[in-house]
Amino acid sequence: MTDSREAAEVAALRGSEQYRTAERFSPETFQRTFDLLAGLDPQFAGLWLNYSAGLLGRPRLDTRTRLLVLTGQYTMKGYVPGLRNTVAAAIREGV
């Protein structure tokens, strides 16, 4: 794949609904992780993005409930970076 084609693919992913969905739930670390993956392989970054956003965007739970569940999971696991990121997302979403 050419560099210009890879750049266009990454730009299209950044403008996608999946990107916005995943960024809402992980505002502090999502862009950094996406940039790392896109730098390694844009196609893998696209697959990862679709998978992540697919899980986060499922309609069964509303945003408030999903963020509260994630907060509880990270608290019980003792995973401070994830907890910090989820609390930031909850504040940003007005939970």
Side-chain angles (χ1 to χ4, degrees):
M1 194 179 293
T2 65
D3 288 339
S4 62
R5 187 170 172 193
E6 287 178 354
E9 186 177 339
V10 170
L13 290 170
R14 285 186 199 285
S16 69
E17 182 64 33
Q18 292 90 345
Y19 188 94
R20 289 187 294 280
T21 297
E23 190 176 40
R24 277 182 42 216
F25 286 94
S26 187
E28 294 180 4
T29 60
F30 173 75
Q31 185 176 1
R32 184 177 24 184
T33 303
F34 179 81
D35 289 343
L36 174 70
L37 294 175
L40 295 172
D41 183 357
Q43 289 181 338
F44 177 74
L47 292 171
W48 173 80
L49 176 62
N50 288 332
Y51 176 76
S52 300
L55 288 176
L56 295 172
R58 288 182 178 171
R60 187 68 73 180
L61 296 177
D62 62 357
T63 301
R64 179 182 186 279
T65 304
R66 189 172 307 277
L67 286 167
L68 290 172
V69 167
L70 286 170
T71 300
Q73 287 176 335
Y74 288 135
T75 300
M76 293 304 295
K77 188 175 179 183
Y79 184 61
V80 176
L83 179 61
R84 184 180 302 122
N85 199 23
T86 302
V87 169
I91 290 169
R92 199 166 119 180
E93 291 291 321
V95 173

